[in-house]
Amino acid sequence: MKQGRDLKVGVERFPIRGRFTISRGAKHEAAVVVATIGDGVHQGRGECVPYARYGESVEGVAQAIEACAPAIAARLDRAGLQALLPPGAARNALDCALWDLEAKILGRSAAELAGVAPLHAVETAFTISLASPDEMAARARDAATYPLLKLKLGDDGDEARLAAIRAAVPKARLIADANEAWRASDLERLLQAAKAAGVELIEQPLPAGGDAALQHIHRVVPVCADESVHDRASLRGIAKRYDAVNIKLDKTGGLTEALATAAEARALGLKIMVGCMVATSLAMAPALLLAQDADWVDLDGPLLLDRDRVPGLAYTSGTVMPAPAALWG
């Protein structure tokens, strides 16, 4: 008889270096929920970040994971998990824990199990939080060793921010994220400002559910869906409005659905960004499988923290290495 499995759930908090500010507000710590699944010999871990924008709370997500303990004890697999929980943070933690556990039991890498070629280092963006034009320009200048900067926009003064940052870092590649804060009436003007600043991509300029205008304008800068897309089921409805999609494991509900979402996005002609919430290396590690052939990678969560897990991912001037086996996968 196969031994049952046990589930442990923990909430951990990691201070953010300074503060992380977007159009919805600022925060000073990353609150993560970690699921650990063990079989008596091996343990697999997965980390998620509950997001209030999607109606999630730390307590609610932890409870949702804990409620799966009987199914885990009965050896729930990843296919069964997809049917048991909806896309979101809770399913992400469990899905990634199951990938990690399977890799450890079989003595094979999660990449190999997923049919992904041996992992290589990838270039990640580094995020500049929303602030005044001068402050963002100064932060961008301080981060000039990173070849790709991600600018948080979404407030009055975005044109000035874009111009100031480009003047401060004339050689850096730039992408930007408005976090649903632009108005349709300002869209074409702000896209032109982004083009003038040499921005490669704008994430989610309009609110999810209010982004129809994107289909009817000439997008002078490619536009990427974030809040408008969660998993495969949401792709077809937005494919004509966007040029790319930001795939995050906390939205898809784990690596299993994220891999399928990426394949479907490619089939629809969409480019791919692999993104993250502010979290530790444990949350980034499974996303690196998805990032191998992505058009843009934004997995800088640990770089925004005062401290990370040990062992964690190794970052060098905007390049992140594959995870050590002791961390995940």
Short mmCIF file of all heavy atoms in Angstrom, two decimals, residues 128-198:
data_model
loop_
_atom_site.label_atom_id
_atom_site.label_comp_id
_atom_site.label_asym_id
_atom_site.label_seq_id
_atom_site.Cartn_x
_atom_site.Cartn_y
_atom_site.Cartn_z
N ILE A 128 11.04 49.60 -11.23
CA ILE A 128 11.14 50.93 -10.64
C ILE A 128 9.74 51.33 -10.19
O ILE A 128 8.83 51.49 -11.01
CB ILE A 128 11.68 51.97 -11.64
CG1 ILE A 128 13.01 51.49 -12.26
CG2 ILE A 128 11.83 53.33 -10.98
CD1 ILE A 128 14.14 51.33 -11.28
N SER A 129 9.54 51.46 -8.87
CA SER A 129 8.21 51.75 -8.33
C SER A 129 7.73 53.14 -8.72
O SER A 129 8.51 54.04 -9.03
CB SER A 129 8.23 51.65 -6.80
OG SER A 129 8.34 50.32 -6.38
N LEU A 130 6.41 53.29 -8.69
CA LEU A 130 5.77 54.56 -9.02
C LEU A 130 6.19 55.64 -8.02
O LEU A 130 6.11 55.46 -6.80
CB LEU A 130 4.26 54.38 -8.99
CG LEU A 130 3.41 55.61 -9.31
CD1 LEU A 130 3.64 56.09 -10.73
CD2 LEU A 130 1.92 55.29 -9.09
N ALA A 131 6.63 56.77 -8.54
CA ALA A 131 7.02 57.92 -7.72
C ALA A 131 7.03 59.15 -8.63
O ALA A 131 6.55 59.09 -9.77
CB ALA A 131 8.39 57.69 -7.08
N SER A 132 7.58 60.24 -8.15
CA SER A 132 7.68 61.45 -8.97
C SER A 132 8.64 61.21 -10.13
O SER A 132 9.49 60.31 -10.07
CB SER A 132 8.18 62.61 -8.12
OG SER A 132 9.54 62.41 -7.79
N PRO A 133 8.54 62.02 -11.19
CA PRO A 133 9.48 61.85 -12.31
C PRO A 133 10.94 61.90 -11.88
O PRO A 133 11.75 61.05 -12.30
CB PRO A 133 9.13 63.01 -13.24
CG PRO A 133 7.67 63.26 -12.98
CD PRO A 133 7.50 63.02 -11.51
N ASP A 134 11.30 62.85 -11.03
CA ASP A 134 12.70 62.97 -10.61
C ASP A 134 13.15 61.76 -9.79
O ASP A 134 14.28 61.27 -9.95
CB ASP A 134 12.90 64.25 -9.80
CG ASP A 134 12.85 65.51 -10.67
OD1 ASP A 134 12.93 65.37 -11.91
OD2 ASP A 134 12.73 66.61 -10.10
N GLU A 135 12.26 61.30 -8.90
CA GLU A 135 12.64 60.16 -8.06
C GLU A 135 12.77 58.89 -8.88
O GLU A 135 13.70 58.10 -8.68
CB GLU A 135 11.59 59.97 -6.94
CG GLU A 135 11.99 58.93 -5.90
CD GLU A 135 11.03 58.86 -4.73
OE1 GLU A 135 10.09 59.69 -4.68
OE2 GLU A 135 11.22 57.98 -3.87
N MET A 136 11.86 58.68 -9.82
CA MET A 136 11.95 57.49 -10.66
C MET A 136 13.19 57.57 -11.55
O MET A 136 13.85 56.54 -11.79
CB MET A 136 10.68 57.33 -11.49
CG MET A 136 9.47 56.92 -10.68
SD MET A 136 7.99 56.58 -11.68
CE MET A 136 8.45 55.01 -12.45
N ALA A 137 13.51 58.74 -12.04
CA ALA A 137 14.71 58.90 -12.86
C ALA A 137 15.95 58.56 -12.05
O ALA A 137 16.88 57.88 -12.54
CB ALA A 137 14.78 60.31 -13.42
N ALA A 138 15.99 59.02 -10.80
CA ALA A 138 17.14 58.73 -9.95
C ALA A 138 17.26 57.24 -9.67
O ALA A 138 18.36 56.67 -9.69
CB ALA A 138 17.03 59.52 -8.65
N ARG A 139 16.12 56.58 -9.42
CA ARG A 139 16.15 55.14 -9.16
C ARG A 139 16.58 54.38 -10.41
O ARG A 139 17.31 53.38 -10.33
CB ARG A 139 14.76 54.67 -8.70
CG ARG A 139 14.36 55.17 -7.32
CD ARG A 139 12.95 54.72 -6.99
NE ARG A 139 12.50 55.24 -5.70
CZ ARG A 139 11.26 55.10 -5.26
NH1 ARG A 139 10.34 54.46 -5.97
NH2 ARG A 139 10.92 55.61 -4.07
N ALA A 140 16.11 54.84 -11.57
CA ALA A 140 16.51 54.19 -12.81
C ALA A 140 18.01 54.35 -13.03
O ALA A 140 18.70 53.41 -13.46
CB ALA A 140 15.73 54.79 -13.98
N ARG A 141 18.54 55.51 -12.73
CA ARG A 141 19.98 55.74 -12.87
C ARG A 141 20.76 54.82 -11.94
O ARG A 141 21.79 54.25 -12.32
CB ARG A 141 20.29 57.21 -12.57
CG ARG A 141 21.67 57.65 -13.02
CD ARG A 141 21.88 59.14 -12.72
NE ARG A 141 20.96 59.99 -13.47
CZ ARG A 141 19.96 60.69 -12.92
NH1 ARG A 141 19.74 60.62 -11.61
NH2 ARG A 141 19.19 61.45 -13.66
N ASP A 142 20.26 54.63 -10.72
CA ASP A 142 20.92 53.75 -9.76
C ASP A 142 20.88 52.29 -10.22
O ASP A 142 21.72 51.49 -9.82
CB ASP A 142 20.26 53.86 -8.39
CG ASP A 142 20.54 55.19 -7.70
OD1 ASP A 142 21.49 55.89 -8.13
OD2 ASP A 142 19.81 55.53 -6.76
N ALA A 143 19.86 51.96 -11.03
CA ALA A 143 19.68 50.58 -11.50
C ALA A 143 20.19 50.38 -12.92
O ALA A 143 19.82 49.43 -13.60
CB ALA A 143 18.21 50.20 -11.42
N ALA A 144 21.05 51.27 -13.36
CA ALA A 144 21.49 51.25 -14.77
C ALA A 144 22.27 50.00 -15.13
O ALA A 144 22.45 49.71 -16.32
CB ALA A 144 22.32 52.50 -15.07
N THR A 145 22.74 49.22 -14.15
CA THR A 145 23.44 47.97 -14.47
C THR A 145 22.48 46.91 -14.96
O THR A 145 22.91 45.91 -15.54
CB THR A 145 24.18 47.43 -13.24
OG1 THR A 145 23.27 47.29 -12.15
CG2 THR A 145 25.31 48.38 -12.85
N TYR A 146 21.17 47.11 -14.72
CA TYR A 146 20.17 46.18 -15.23
C TYR A 146 19.81 46.58 -16.65
O TYR A 146 19.39 47.72 -16.89
CB TYR A 146 18.92 46.19 -14.36
CG TYR A 146 19.15 45.69 -12.95
CD1 TYR A 146 19.45 46.58 -11.92
CD2 TYR A 146 19.09 44.33 -12.67
CE1 TYR A 146 19.69 46.12 -10.64
CE2 TYR A 146 19.33 43.86 -11.39
CZ TYR A 146 19.62 44.76 -10.37
OH TYR A 146 19.86 44.30 -9.11
N PRO A 147 19.93 45.68 -17.61
CA PRO A 147 19.68 46.06 -19.01
C PRO A 147 18.22 46.30 -19.34
O PRO A 147 17.91 46.95 -20.34
CB PRO A 147 20.23 44.87 -19.79
CG PRO A 147 20.18 43.72 -18.83
CD PRO A 147 20.43 44.31 -17.48
N LEU A 148 17.29 45.77 -18.52
CA LEU A 148 15.86 45.93 -18.78
C LEU A 148 15.19 46.44 -17.51
O LEU A 148 15.23 45.79 -16.46
CB LEU A 148 15.24 44.58 -19.18
CG LEU A 148 13.73 44.57 -19.43
CD1 LEU A 148 13.36 45.49 -20.60
CD2 LEU A 148 13.24 43.15 -19.70
N LEU A 149 14.56 47.62 -17.61
CA LEU A 149 13.88 48.22 -16.47
C LEU A 149 12.37 48.21 -16.72
O LEU A 149 11.91 48.49 -17.83
CB LEU A 149 14.34 49.66 -16.25
CG LEU A 149 15.83 49.85 -15.94
CD1 LEU A 149 16.13 51.33 -15.77
CD2 LEU A 149 16.24 49.06 -14.71
N LYS A 150 11.61 47.90 -15.67
CA LYS A 150 10.15 47.93 -15.74
C LYS A 150 9.66 49.10 -14.90
O LYS A 150 9.92 49.16 -13.69
CB LYS A 150 9.56 46.62 -15.22
CG LYS A 150 8.03 46.61 -15.20
CD LYS A 150 7.51 45.23 -14.83
CE LYS A 150 6.00 45.23 -14.69
NZ LYS A 150 5.46 43.88 -14.50
N LEU A 151 8.95 50.01 -15.53
CA LEU A 151 8.50 51.23 -14.88
C LEU A 151 7.06 51.10 -14.45
O LEU A 151 6.18 50.77 -15.26
CB LEU A 151 8.62 52.41 -15.85
CG LEU A 151 9.91 52.49 -16.66
CD1 LEU A 151 9.84 53.65 -17.64
CD2 LEU A 151 11.13 52.59 -15.75
N LYS A 152 6.78 51.35 -13.19
CA LYS A 152 5.41 51.38 -12.70
C LYS A 152 4.82 52.78 -12.96
O LYS A 152 5.33 53.78 -12.44
CB LYS A 152 5.36 51.04 -11.21
CG LYS A 152 5.60 49.58 -10.91
CD LYS A 152 4.49 48.69 -11.44
CE LYS A 152 4.66 47.24 -10.99
NZ LYS A 152 3.56 46.38 -11.50
N LEU A 153 3.78 52.82 -13.78
CA LEU A 153 3.11 54.07 -14.11
C LEU A 153 1.69 54.04 -13.58
O LEU A 153 1.35 53.18 -12.77
CB LEU A 153 3.12 54.28 -15.63
CG LEU A 153 4.50 54.29 -16.31
CD1 LEU A 153 4.34 54.41 -17.82
CD2 LEU A 153 5.35 55.43 -15.76
N GLY A 154 0.87 54.99 -14.04
CA GLY A 154 -0.53 54.94 -13.65
C GLY A 154 -0.99 56.09 -12.80
O GLY A 154 -1.87 55.95 -11.95
N ASP A 155 -0.41 57.26 -13.03
CA ASP A 155 -0.80 58.42 -12.25
C ASP A 155 -0.62 59.64 -13.14
O ASP A 155 0.01 59.57 -14.21
CB ASP A 155 0.10 58.54 -11.01
CG ASP A 155 -0.51 59.44 -9.94
OD1 ASP A 155 -1.61 59.98 -10.15
OD2 ASP A 155 0.14 59.60 -8.90
N ASP A 156 -1.20 60.77 -12.75
CA ASP A 156 -0.94 62.00 -13.49
C ASP A 156 0.56 62.25 -13.54
O ASP A 156 1.27 62.04 -12.57
CB ASP A 156 -1.63 63.19 -12.81
CG ASP A 156 -3.15 63.11 -12.90
OD1 ASP A 156 -3.64 62.39 -13.80
OD2 ASP A 156 -3.83 63.75 -12.09
N GLY A 157 1.03 62.67 -14.70
CA GLY A 157 2.46 62.92 -14.83
C GLY A 157 3.23 61.81 -15.50
O GLY A 157 4.47 61.84 -15.52
N ASP A 158 2.54 60.82 -16.07
CA ASP A 158 3.26 59.71 -16.69
C ASP A 158 4.13 60.15 -17.87
O ASP A 158 5.21 59.60 -18.09
CB ASP A 158 2.29 58.61 -17.13
CG ASP A 158 1.89 57.70 -15.98
OD1 ASP A 158 2.51 57.80 -14.90
OD2 ASP A 158 0.96 56.90 -16.15
N GLU A 159 3.67 61.14 -18.64
CA GLU A 159 4.49 61.63 -19.74
C GLU A 159 5.82 62.18 -19.22
O GLU A 159 6.88 61.92 -19.79
CB GLU A 159 3.73 62.70 -20.52
CG GLU A 159 2.59 62.14 -21.35
CD GLU A 159 1.73 63.24 -21.93
OE1 GLU A 159 0.98 63.88 -21.17
OE2 GLU A 159 1.80 63.45 -23.17
N ALA A 160 5.75 62.93 -18.13
CA ALA A 160 6.97 63.48 -17.55
C ALA A 160 7.85 62.38 -16.99
O ALA A 160 9.09 62.45 -17.07
CB ALA A 160 6.62 64.49 -16.45
N ARG A 161 7.26 61.37 -16.40
CA ARG A 161 8.04 60.24 -15.87
C ARG A 161 8.81 59.55 -17.00
O ARG A 161 10.00 59.27 -16.87
CB ARG A 161 7.12 59.23 -15.18
CG ARG A 161 6.52 59.71 -13.88
CD ARG A 161 5.69 58.60 -13.22
NE ARG A 161 5.14 59.08 -11.96
CZ ARG A 161 3.96 59.67 -11.84
NH1 ARG A 161 3.17 59.83 -12.91
NH2 ARG A 161 3.53 60.10 -10.67
N LEU A 162 8.12 59.27 -18.08
CA LEU A 162 8.75 58.57 -19.19
C LEU A 162 9.92 59.38 -19.75
O LEU A 162 11.00 58.84 -20.01
CB LEU A 162 7.72 58.29 -20.28
CG LEU A 162 6.67 57.22 -19.93
CD1 LEU A 162 5.50 57.27 -20.91
CD2 LEU A 162 7.30 55.83 -19.93
N ALA A 163 9.71 60.66 -19.94
CA ALA A 163 10.77 61.51 -20.49
C ALA A 163 11.96 61.61 -19.54
O ALA A 163 13.12 61.53 -19.97
CB ALA A 163 10.21 62.90 -20.80
N ALA A 164 11.68 61.76 -18.25
CA ALA A 164 12.76 61.90 -17.28
C ALA A 164 13.58 60.62 -17.16
O ALA A 164 14.82 60.66 -17.06
CB ALA A 164 12.19 62.28 -15.92
N ILE A 165 12.91 59.48 -17.19
CA ILE A 165 13.62 58.21 -17.06
C ILE A 165 14.46 57.95 -18.29
O ILE A 165 15.62 57.52 -18.19
CB ILE A 165 12.61 57.07 -16.81
CG1 ILE A 165 11.99 57.24 -15.42
CG2 ILE A 165 13.29 55.71 -16.93
CD1 ILE A 165 10.73 56.43 -15.21
N ARG A 166 13.91 58.22 -19.47
CA ARG A 166 14.71 57.99 -20.68
C ARG A 166 15.94 58.89 -20.70
O ARG A 166 17.04 58.46 -21.10
CB ARG A 166 13.85 58.23 -21.92
CG ARG A 166 14.61 58.14 -23.23
CD ARG A 166 15.49 56.88 -23.30
NE ARG A 166 14.75 55.69 -23.60
CZ ARG A 166 15.19 54.46 -23.35
NH1 ARG A 166 16.37 54.29 -22.74
NH2 ARG A 166 14.48 53.40 -23.66
N ALA A 167 15.80 60.12 -20.24
CA ALA A 167 16.95 61.02 -20.18
C ALA A 167 18.00 60.51 -19.20
O ALA A 167 19.20 60.64 -19.42
CB ALA A 167 16.50 62.42 -19.80
N ALA A 168 17.53 59.88 -18.11
CA ALA A 168 18.45 59.39 -17.08
C ALA A 168 19.19 58.13 -17.50
O ALA A 168 20.35 57.92 -17.11
CB ALA A 168 17.68 59.12 -15.78
N VAL A 169 18.53 57.26 -18.28
CA VAL A 169 19.14 55.99 -18.70
C VAL A 169 18.95 55.83 -20.22
O VAL A 169 18.12 55.05 -20.67
CB VAL A 169 18.53 54.79 -17.93
CG1 VAL A 169 19.04 54.76 -16.51
CG2 VAL A 169 17.00 54.83 -17.92
N PRO A 170 19.71 56.57 -21.00
CA PRO A 170 19.49 56.58 -22.45
C PRO A 170 19.71 55.24 -23.14
O PRO A 170 19.18 55.02 -24.23
CB PRO A 170 20.49 57.63 -22.94
CG PRO A 170 21.51 57.75 -21.86
CD PRO A 170 20.78 57.50 -20.59
N LYS A 171 20.46 54.34 -22.52
CA LYS A 171 20.77 53.06 -23.17
C LYS A 171 19.93 51.89 -22.66
O LYS A 171 19.97 50.80 -23.24
CB LYS A 171 22.25 52.74 -22.99
CG LYS A 171 23.18 53.73 -23.68
CD LYS A 171 24.63 53.32 -23.52
CE LYS A 171 25.56 54.30 -24.23
NZ LYS A 171 26.99 53.91 -24.08
N ALA A 172 19.18 52.06 -21.59
CA ALA A 172 18.43 50.95 -21.00
C ALA A 172 17.22 50.59 -21.85
O ALA A 172 16.59 51.45 -22.46
CB ALA A 172 17.97 51.32 -19.59
N ARG A 173 16.91 49.31 -21.88
CA ARG A 173 15.63 48.88 -22.44
C ARG A 173 14.55 49.14 -21.40
O ARG A 173 14.76 48.91 -20.20
CB ARG A 173 15.68 47.39 -22.79
CG ARG A 173 16.64 47.03 -23.90
CD ARG A 173 16.75 45.52 -24.05
NE ARG A 173 15.43 44.93 -24.28
CZ ARG A 173 15.08 43.68 -23.91
NH1 ARG A 173 15.93 42.92 -23.24
NH2 ARG A 173 13.88 43.23 -24.17
N LEU A 174 13.39 49.60 -21.86
CA LEU A 174 12.31 49.96 -20.95
C LEU A 174 11.02 49.24 -21.32
O LEU A 174 10.65 49.17 -22.50
CB LEU A 174 12.04 51.47 -20.97
CG LEU A 174 13.19 52.41 -20.63
CD1 LEU A 174 12.74 53.86 -20.76
CD2 LEU A 174 13.72 52.14 -19.23
N ILE A 175 10.34 48.73 -20.30
CA ILE A 175 8.94 48.31 -20.41
C ILE A 175 8.19 49.02 -19.29
O ILE A 175 8.81 49.54 -18.36
CB ILE A 175 8.77 46.77 -20.32
CG1 ILE A 175 9.36 46.23 -19.01
CG2 ILE A 175 9.42 46.08 -21.51
CD1 ILE A 175 9.17 44.73 -18.81
N ALA A 176 6.88 49.09 -19.38
CA ALA A 176 6.12 49.85 -18.38
C ALA A 176 4.81 49.16 -18.07
O ALA A 176 4.27 48.42 -18.89
CB ALA A 176 5.86 51.27 -18.89
N ASP A 177 4.30 49.42 -16.88
CA ASP A 177 3.07 48.80 -16.38
C ASP A 177 2.20 49.86 -15.74
O ASP A 177 2.60 50.48 -14.75
CB ASP A 177 3.43 47.71 -15.36
CG ASP A 177 2.21 46.93 -14.87
OD1 ASP A 177 1.09 47.20 -15.34
OD2 ASP A 177 2.40 46.06 -14.01
N ALA A 178 1.01 50.08 -16.31
CA ALA A 178 0.10 51.09 -15.78
C ALA A 178 -0.90 50.52 -14.77
O ALA A 178 -1.66 51.29 -14.17
CB ALA A 178 -0.67 51.76 -16.92
N ASN A 179 -0.94 49.21 -14.61
CA ASN A 179 -1.83 48.59 -13.61
C ASN A 179 -3.26 49.12 -13.67
O ASN A 179 -3.84 49.49 -12.66
CB ASN A 179 -1.26 48.77 -12.20
CG ASN A 179 -0.08 47.87 -11.91
OD1 ASN A 179 1.05 48.34 -11.78
ND2 ASN A 179 -0.30 46.57 -11.85
N GLU A 180 -3.82 49.19 -14.89
CA GLU A 180 -5.23 49.52 -15.13
C GLU A 180 -5.59 50.98 -14.87
O GLU A 180 -6.77 51.32 -14.83
CB GLU A 180 -6.16 48.64 -14.27
CG GLU A 180 -5.99 47.15 -14.44
CD GLU A 180 -6.97 46.37 -13.58
OE1 GLU A 180 -6.67 46.18 -12.38
OE2 GLU A 180 -8.03 45.95 -14.08
N ALA A 181 -4.62 51.85 -14.73
CA ALA A 181 -4.90 53.20 -14.22
C ALA A 181 -5.09 54.27 -15.29
O ALA A 181 -5.50 55.38 -14.97
CB ALA A 181 -3.80 53.64 -13.27
N TRP A 182 -4.82 53.96 -16.57
CA TRP A 182 -5.02 54.97 -17.59
C TRP A 182 -6.50 55.05 -17.98
O TRP A 182 -7.26 54.10 -17.79
CB TRP A 182 -4.19 54.65 -18.83
CG TRP A 182 -2.72 54.88 -18.65
CD1 TRP A 182 -2.08 55.30 -17.52
CD2 TRP A 182 -1.71 54.69 -19.63
NE1 TRP A 182 -0.73 55.39 -17.73
CE2 TRP A 182 -0.47 55.02 -19.03
CE3 TRP A 182 -1.71 54.27 -20.96
CZ2 TRP A 182 0.74 54.94 -19.72
CZ3 TRP A 182 -0.51 54.20 -21.66
CH2 TRP A 182 0.70 54.53 -21.04
N ARG A 183 -6.88 56.18 -18.54
CA ARG A 183 -8.24 56.37 -19.06
C ARG A 183 -8.22 56.21 -20.58
O ARG A 183 -7.26 56.59 -21.25
CB ARG A 183 -8.77 57.75 -18.68
CG ARG A 183 -8.98 57.94 -17.19
CD ARG A 183 -9.45 59.35 -16.86
NE ARG A 183 -8.38 60.33 -17.10
CZ ARG A 183 -7.46 60.67 -16.19
NH1 ARG A 183 -7.47 60.10 -14.99
NH2 ARG A 183 -6.54 61.56 -16.49
N ALA A 184 -9.30 55.69 -21.11
CA ALA A 184 -9.38 55.47 -22.56
C ALA A 184 -9.17 56.77 -23.33
O ALA A 184 -8.56 56.78 -24.41
CB ALA A 184 -10.72 54.83 -22.93
N SER A 185 -9.63 57.88 -22.78
CA SER A 185 -9.50 59.17 -23.44
C SER A 185 -8.05 59.62 -23.55
O SER A 185 -7.72 60.46 -24.40
CB SER A 185 -10.32 60.23 -22.70
OG SER A 185 -9.90 60.34 -21.36
N ASP A 186 -7.18 59.09 -22.69
CA ASP A 186 -5.77 59.47 -22.69
C ASP A 186 -4.88 58.44 -23.38
O ASP A 186 -3.67 58.65 -23.50
CB ASP A 186 -5.27 59.64 -21.25
CG ASP A 186 -5.99 60.75 -20.51
OD1 ASP A 186 -6.39 61.73 -21.15
OD2 ASP A 186 -6.15 60.62 -19.27
N LEU A 187 -5.48 57.35 -23.81
CA LEU A 187 -4.70 56.18 -24.24
C LEU A 187 -3.74 56.50 -25.38
O LEU A 187 -2.54 56.21 -25.28
CB LEU A 187 -5.67 55.06 -24.64
CG LEU A 187 -5.03 53.74 -25.06
CD1 LEU A 187 -4.21 53.15 -23.92
CD2 LEU A 187 -6.13 52.75 -25.48
N GLU A 188 -4.24 57.07 -26.46
CA GLU A 188 -3.38 57.29 -27.63
C GLU A 188 -2.27 58.28 -27.31
O GLU A 188 -1.11 58.10 -27.74
CB GLU A 188 -4.22 57.75 -28.81
CG GLU A 188 -5.17 56.65 -29.31
CD GLU A 188 -5.89 57.01 -30.59
OE1 GLU A 188 -5.25 56.96 -31.65
OE2 GLU A 188 -7.09 57.34 -30.53
N ARG A 189 -2.58 59.31 -26.54
CA ARG A 189 -1.55 60.29 -26.17
C ARG A 189 -0.45 59.65 -25.34
O ARG A 189 0.75 59.88 -25.56
CB ARG A 189 -2.20 61.45 -25.40
CG ARG A 189 -1.21 62.45 -24.81
CD ARG A 189 -1.93 63.61 -24.15
NE ARG A 189 -2.83 63.20 -23.11
CZ ARG A 189 -2.47 62.91 -21.86
NH1 ARG A 189 -1.18 62.98 -21.52
NH2 ARG A 189 -3.36 62.56 -20.95
N LEU A 190 -0.84 58.82 -24.38
CA LEU A 190 0.15 58.19 -23.51
C LEU A 190 0.95 57.12 -24.23
O LEU A 190 2.14 56.93 -23.97
CB LEU A 190 -0.53 57.63 -22.27
CG LEU A 190 -1.05 58.70 -21.29
CD1 LEU A 190 -1.91 58.07 -20.21
CD2 LEU A 190 0.11 59.48 -20.67
N LEU A 191 0.32 56.42 -25.15
CA LEU A 191 1.08 55.45 -25.96
C LEU A 191 2.11 56.17 -26.83
O LEU A 191 3.23 55.67 -27.02
CB LEU A 191 0.14 54.62 -26.82
CG LEU A 191 -0.68 53.55 -26.08
CD1 LEU A 191 -1.64 52.85 -27.05
CD2 LEU A 191 0.23 52.51 -25.40
N GLN A 192 1.75 57.32 -27.35
CA GLN A 192 2.71 58.09 -28.13
C GLN A 192 3.88 58.54 -27.25
O GLN A 192 5.04 58.52 -27.69
CB GLN A 192 2.03 59.32 -28.75
CG GLN A 192 1.12 59.00 -29.93
CD GLN A 192 1.87 58.58 -31.19
OE1 GLN A 192 3.10 58.68 -31.26
NE2 GLN A 192 1.13 58.11 -32.18
N ALA A 193 3.60 58.93 -26.01
CA ALA A 193 4.67 59.31 -25.09
C ALA A 193 5.58 58.13 -24.79
O ALA A 193 6.81 58.27 -24.69
CB ALA A 193 4.07 59.86 -23.80
N ALA A 194 4.98 56.94 -24.66
CA ALA A 194 5.77 55.74 -24.43
C ALA A 194 6.65 55.43 -25.63
O ALA A 194 7.82 55.06 -25.50
CB ALA A 194 4.85 54.56 -24.11
N LYS A 195 6.08 55.59 -26.83
CA LYS A 195 6.88 55.37 -28.04
C LYS A 195 8.05 56.34 -28.11
O LYS A 195 9.18 55.97 -28.43
CB LYS A 195 6.00 55.51 -29.28
CG LYS A 195 6.75 55.30 -30.58
CD LYS A 195 5.85 55.49 -31.79
CE LYS A 195 6.63 55.28 -33.09
NZ LYS A 195 5.78 55.51 -34.29
N ALA A 196 7.79 57.62 -27.80
CA ALA A 196 8.84 58.63 -27.84
C ALA A 196 9.97 58.31 -26.87
O ALA A 196 11.13 58.65 -27.11
CB ALA A 196 8.25 60.00 -27.54
N ALA A 197 9.63 57.64 -25.75
CA ALA A 197 10.63 57.26 -24.75
C ALA A 197 11.30 55.93 -25.07
O ALA A 197 12.15 55.46 -24.30
CB ALA A 197 9.99 57.21 -23.37
N GLY A 198 10.91 55.31 -26.18
CA GLY A 198 11.52 54.04 -26.54
C GLY A 198 11.07 52.87 -25.70
O GLY A 198 11.80 51.88 -25.56
#
